[in-house]
Amino acid sequence: MDIPTNAQVLPKRVKRVWLLKQLIIMLVIIICLVAAWYFAIKSMPNFWQRWFQIVGGVAVVISVIPMILIPYRYAFNRYLMAAESVDIYQGFLFRKAELIPLNRIQNVRITQGPISRLFHLNNLTIVTAAHNFSINYIDNHTAQNLRQRLINAALQAREVAEDE
Amino acid sequence: MNKRRRQHPITILIELISLIKAFFFPIIIFVILRHSLSVGEKVLIMIGFIVLSTLFNLIKWFYFTYEFNESEITIYHGIVNKQQIHIPFERIQTLTREQPIYLQPFELVNLQIDTSGQGKPDAVLKAITVKQVTKIEQQRRLMQTKATDLTQSRNAEASEPSTTKKAQQHSARYQIKFRDLFIYSLTSLSGFGIAGAMFAAWTQFDDLLPNRFKTIVNQFLLQSSFVLLGVLGLFALIIATMIVMFKIINRYYQFVLVRDGHQLTIARGLLSKHTMQLRTSRIQAICVAQTLLRRLFRLQTVTANLAANKKEDSEDESQTVIVPVIKTNRSQKMLQQLLPNFKFDIPVQTDSRIKAALWLRLRFIYGILLAIVLSVVVVLAVLSHQWQWHILQQTEVLSFIVVMIMGLCILILSQTLLWSHDQSIAIKDDMLMLQTNRLFTKRTYYIKRDRIQGMQTRAWYGLLKRRQGAHMTIVIRDSDAFQLIKVYYIQTAIVEDIKTWLLTDK
């Protein structure tokens, strides 16, 4: 489960994307907390106000943690196009590795949300007969290149069901 | 064969009833709430609704026609937007024939045609004659046999005669014995669920019941002794068990599974007769399940994950049952006969997990339990301090909490011991066998290599580096979604072996 040395890293600007997304989440949490304070909690007894301040504070602190962890997330978020499979690796302390054999791939999708578009990044979704899995935030050139390689590999692979 | 046909006119009535069923509550509420309308006007609205619905269904029925020739079925429907659906016989994955009790006197059936195994069936022909369905089934079988023969003859040019040809010529049959079905229904624990649901329903709906009735019941309950209440509880449980038994017997009565070459036909049902035809190649995995109670009686249930639409009837079931009940000592031989393309004689190997697996799992589950208990205690302590509750100082409450926690600890310990005893992994040729135990149910999965869609491994640093272990998940297709089969605390060397085995699929 160790990350192979030839595994690909994501483009560096992905760190800014993650930061921006986390800032948006934090902003939404703060807006909700402020709205709840003015419209409901302010008129409640002190006991509830104190608890609201504690819970709200914890929520804001929790939303900051992913921002601190961005360098860690970047260092241990990699993918590998091996000869027989696509592998995705995530995490160091809590590790997760996914493996999809190339001959199970049915199709490949490239999607781009507003934030990804702003940074010229793409999400590559690999579709099997059962599930989807994604390599998020790769640059345009790599996405097109990977897509072509995956489709070629899937076409060359033996058809799974002998009578289908 | 080339004649356009309509569904039986009874379809108009069936559709009308389902439409009335769907709109029954909205109409009743509308009629009751409209105090300004007289009784006559309300009756008129109801009659108008029924007449309009009948007219709509009549036109819908008139414009719904179907025909089939040697190669395909064509369905024409739509009143404003005309649609034609062409379904070639070779592409049909599953044909499901359903005969509800009200169609039995007319010898009519509903037929579902599914080609993709994704989402809804491609077409549903309602209330058509058994003769027509038989013709469709025969034609489909004929066309698919031709297609398979063609593929096999192409393969034969390059290699020696394939073994699938031999398998195709063989046939196998399984029929349920009523005695086994009875024991199976008796050992279903769903009765407890229904009894619980009855109790929950009472607590939910008692607000809606008339006060007089509620008072009588409450007085009766307060005045009754524990023995009488126990007897009442037992009685409710017996009734619930009987309901479950009837449901199971109704569902699996005269269950017959027949394999004819690559075709499987499953027929079952007492009140509503149900027949499903599918190709063996649609089977993604076989699961042999055994609850703790059925383990005592040495009974097993075999289900299959299919790449086919599973919403074949209204009864919700996660997997398609291949063998509802079979004795443990007979299951392997029977399954091998029914599904010769699978291998079931894979020896169980329990040494695939790391040495400290049991300890680590217990530590993990008890850790979660401890965290939950501590959080609850802290919240209760804060609330009692704020509102002077003194709830934690009451001996009854404290002893109840302690007894509950102890019971939970014993349940967790016994489940984890069973998990430790049962979990195993084995590989034989192109088959993977995974055995798990979750919620006291032992499940053994048999999966062919080319049906595994992906593999996931997870581990925290200590488990991976110090213990050389990881958790492994196998992804397989299940209907139009997926199923994850998880095994825990596996030696990393074995995980690597499985990864290599999975990728050597040529």
Side-chain angles (χ1 to χ4, degrees):
Chain A
M1 270 185 77
D2 287 324
I3 301 176
T5 45
N6 56 344
Q8 304 286 312
V9 284
L10 299 173
K12 277 196 171 164
R13 56 185 184 277
V14 78
K15 291 187 201 173
R16 279 183 281 157
V17 176
W18 286 337
L19 184 67
L20 184 63
K21 277 189 129 178
Q22 214 49 51
L23 282 171
I24 293 170
I25 291 171
M26 199 166 84
L27 194 69
V28 170
I29 291 173
I30 291 171
I31 290 170
C32 291
L33 289 172
V34 171
W37 177 264
Y38 276 101
F39 293 111
I41 312 292
K42 210 178 164 186
S43 53
M44 284 184 175
N46 277 345
F47 169 76
W48 288 113
Q49 287 187 5
R50 207 165 53 237
W51 272 104
F52 182 80
Q53 284 161 357
I54 293 169
V55 173
V58 169
V60 173
V61 169
I62 286 174
S63 70
V64 172
I65 294 172
M67 293 187 211
I68 300 164
L69 291 177
I70 283 175
Y72 162 80
R73 193 176 163 193
Y74 178 76
F76 301 105
N77 206 319
R78 299 185 183 206
Y79 64 93
L80 176 68
M81 259 295 285
E84 304 278 345
S85 63
V86 191
D87 303 1
I88 294 184
Y89 300 91
Q90 285 171 338
F92 178 76
L93 287 175
F94 294 94
R95 295 184 187 198
K96 188 179 166 191
E98 285 191 79
L99 176 147
I100 307 282
L102 287 183
N103 54 1
R104 306 297 192 279
I105 294 169
Q106 297 222 324
N107 64 62
V108 179
R109 273 200 310 259
I110 294 178
T111 50
Q112 208 178 28
I115 298 175
S116 307
R117 206 174 309 147
L118 197 69
F119 289 89
H120 306 289
L121 292 170
N122 295 275
N123 299 336
L124 186 84
T125 306
I126 299 162
V127 183
T128 73
H131 70 320
N132 303 338
F133 86 142
S134 301
I135 306 174
N136 290 334
Y137 307 118
I138 47 178
D139 61 47
N140 292 341
H141 176 71
T142 316
Q144 291 300 339
N145 194 12
L146 266 180
R147 187 188 72 93
Q148 202 51 50
R149 281 174 67 191
L150 286 171
I151 286 176
N152 287 345
L155 281 174
Q156 281 166 17
R158 184 182 67 83
E159 288 213 352
V160 173
E162 53 285 311
D163 61 343
E164 285 176 17
Chain B
M1 265 200 274
N2 225 344
K3 190 182 150 197
R4 273 207 206 183
R5 291 165 199 278
R6 286 202 174 81
Q7 300 171 121
H8 193 277
I10 199 173
T11 320
I12 304 167
L13 187 68
I14 295 167
E15 293 280 322
L16 180 69
I17 291 168
S18 62
L19 203 71
I20 290 174
K21 261 166 76 180
F23 286 98
F24 183 74
F25 280 110
I27 286 180
I28 289 291
I29 289 167
F30 172 78
V31 168
I32 290 171
L33 290 182
R34 283 275 167 168
H35 296 295
S36 55
L37 295 174
S38 68
V39 180
E41 283 170 332
K42 284 175 182 176
V43 172
L44 215 62
I45 288 173
M46 301 282 258
I47 292 171
F49 171 71
I50 291 171
V51 169
L52 277 177
S53 308
T54 314
L55 210 63
F56 171 72
N57 285 322
L58 184 74
I59 299 169
K60 207 173 129 190
W61 169 81
F62 184 79
Y63 282 103
F64 189 105
T65 55
Y66 69 95
E67 63 180 359
F68 60 95
N69 55 27
E70 290 77 21
S71 57
E72 64 173 19
I73 303 177
T74 311
I75 292 161
Y76 306 86
H77 70 106
I79 302 164
V80 181
N81 290 324
K82 303 271 180 198
Q83 278 188 43
Q84 285 182 27
I85 307 171
H86 299 274
I87 306 170
F89 281 114
E90 295 107 279
R91 306 310 302 167
I92 296 176
Q93 304 292 358
T94 45
L95 271 180
T96 309
R97 187 202 279 217
E98 193 196 5
Q99 194 177 36
I101 194 162
Y102 52 84
L103 287 183
Q104 284 171 20
F106 304 98
E107 297 216 340
L108 297 170
V109 290
N110 298 330
L111 185 73
Q112 284 186 10
I113 305 165
D114 185 26
T115 59
S116 62
Q118 306 234 338
K120 281 183 176 178
D122 299 82
V124 180
L125 297 176
K126 283 182 183 165
I128 59 170
T129 59
V130 174
K131 207 173 137 191
Q132 286 292 308
V133 175
T134 314
K135 271 187 190 171
I136 292 171
E137 284 171 352
Q138 278 171 353
Q139 195 56 30
R140 176 236 183 182
R141 187 169 297 195
L142 191 74
M143 291 309 291
Q144 289 190 349
T145 314
K146 268 188 200 169
T148 315
D149 283 349
L150 200 66
T151 319
Q152 281 174 354
S153 62
R154 275 185 202 147
N155 291 343
E157 284 170 19
S159 62
E160 59 188 67
S162 115
T163 47
T164 48
K165 184 90 182 170
K166 281 184 204 165
Q168 196 190 6
Q169 286 161 358
H170 282 103
S171 60
R173 183 186 166 87
Y174 158 81
Q175 182 157 16
I176 202 163
K177 287 178 186 159
F178 188 76
R179 187 179 153 271
D180 286 348
L181 180 59
F182 185 75
I183 297 174
Y184 176 77
S185 63
L186 203 63
T187 52
S188 169
L189 291 171
S190 318
F192 287 94
I194 290 194
M198 277 157 67
F199 178 72
W202 166 259
T203 55
Q204 287 292 312
F205 291 111
D206 67 349
D207 289 346
L208 305 172
L209 296 171
N211 275 340
R212 218 172 122 234
F213 177 70
K214 255 168 57 183
T215 320
I216 294 169
V217 173
N218 286 340
Q219 272 181 357
F220 171 74
L221 288 176
L222 284 172
Q223 287 162 6
S224 308
S225 64
F226 275 115
V227 180
L228 189 64
L229 288 178
V231 170
L232 271 176
L234 197 68
F235 183 68
L237 199 65
I238 289 169
I239 297 284
T241 309
M242 279 168 75
I243 294 170
V244 171
M245 279 176 74
F246 175 74
K247 274 184 82 174
I248 291 175
I249 291 173
N250 177 38
R251 192 176 173 85
Y252 297 120
Y253 184 71
Q254 289 191 337
F255 184 101
V256 181
L257 171 69
V258 179
R259 182 181 59 80
D260 185 9
H262 288 297
Q263 299 283 341
L264 281 182
T265 307
I266 303 169
R268 60 174 174 82
L270 178 67
L271 294 179
S272 176
K273 292 197 164 88
H274 203 278
T275 310
M276 187 185 190
Q277 282 195 347
L278 67 140
R279 288 194 281 167
T280 49
S281 61
R282 307 310 295 167
I283 296 176
Q284 306 292 299
I286 293 292
C287 173
V288 180
Q290 209 176 25
T291 59
L292 197 58
L293 196 57
R294 286 183 188 143
R295 214 166 167 171
L296 296 174
F297 288 91
R298 296 184 179 279
L299 292 176
Q300 291 179 328
T301 300
V302 185
T303 56
N305 288 67
L306 299 180
N309 177 26
K310 70 185 173 193
K311 297 168 192 122
E312 82 270 24
D313 59 34
S314 54
E315 292 162 87
D316 182 43
E317 194 168 75
S318 56
Q319 270 103 32
T320 301
V321 175
I322 293 276
V323 180
V325 55
I326 193 163
K327 286 271 179 197
T328 309
N329 54 3
R330 283 182 57 218
S331 74
Q332 201 181 83
K333 198 179 162 192
M334 175 60 78
L335 282 172
Q336 200 61 69
Q337 283 172 4
L338 290 171
L339 302 162
N341 290 342
F342 280 74
K343 289 185 188 76
F344 295 98
D345 57 334
I346 305 173
V348 173
Q349 294 169 355
T350 46
D351 54 356
S352 54
R353 60 179 180 269
I354 56 171
K355 276 181 188 165
L358 180 63
W359 155 244
L360 288 173
R361 192 157 170 87
L362 276 175
R363 194 178 70 175
F364 175 71
I365 303 174
Y366 280 137
I368 291 176
L369 183 68
L370 189 68
I372 294 171
V373 169
L374 283 178
S375 324
V376 171
V377 167
V378 168
V379 169
L380 279 180
V382 170
L383 291 178
S384 358
H385 174 74
Q386 181 65 26
W387 289 315
Q388 309 291 312
W389 266 5
H390 310 301
I391 191 167
L392 290 174
Q393 286 156 21
Q394 289 173 17
T395 338
E396 293 88 0
V397 176
L398 263 183
S399 42
F400 176 74
I401 291 173
V402 169
V403 167
M404 287 295 282
I405 291 171
M406 278 173 69
L408 209 56
C409 284
I410 292 166
L411 271 180
I412 289 171
L413 181 67
S414 42
Q415 161 62 41
T416 312
L417 284 172
L418 272 175
W419 162 82
S420 170
H421 177 265
D422 288 342
Q423 182 177 276
S424 76
I425 301 174
I427 292 173
K428 190 177 180 184
D429 303 330
D430 66 337
M431 290 292 295
L432 173 68
M433 191 274 287
L434 293 177
Q435 191 167 278
T436 65
N437 191 310
R438 206 171 146 256
L439 300 173
F440 297 97
T441 301
K442 183 169 94 171
R443 289 187 177 86
T444 314
Y445 295 91
Y446 297 90
I447 317 157
K448 283 180 104 174
R449 177 164 47 196
D450 58 11
R451 299 302 184 202
I452 296 173
Q453 304 295 334
M455 179 180 160
Q456 296 168 0
T457 39
R458 281 179 300 113
W460 46 275
Y461 187 81
L463 174 65
L464 189 70
K465 293 293 168 191
R466 278 181 52 214
R467 312 272 187 179
Q468 305 291 316
H471 311 308
M472 187 181 80
T473 305
I474 293 292
V475 187
I476 53 166
R477 186 174 171 186
D478 183 27
S479 180
D480 54 348
F482 62 88
Q483 188 187 349
L484 304 175
I485 304 166
K486 295 178 182 178
V487 277
Y488 301 96
Y489 301 101
I490 305 297
Q491 294 169 29
T492 43
I494 289 178
V495 174
E496 285 303 318
D497 283 351
I498 290 171
K499 188 177 162 183
T500 316
W501 169 82
L502 180 63
L503 296 177
T504 46
D505 177 20
K506 294 287 179 194

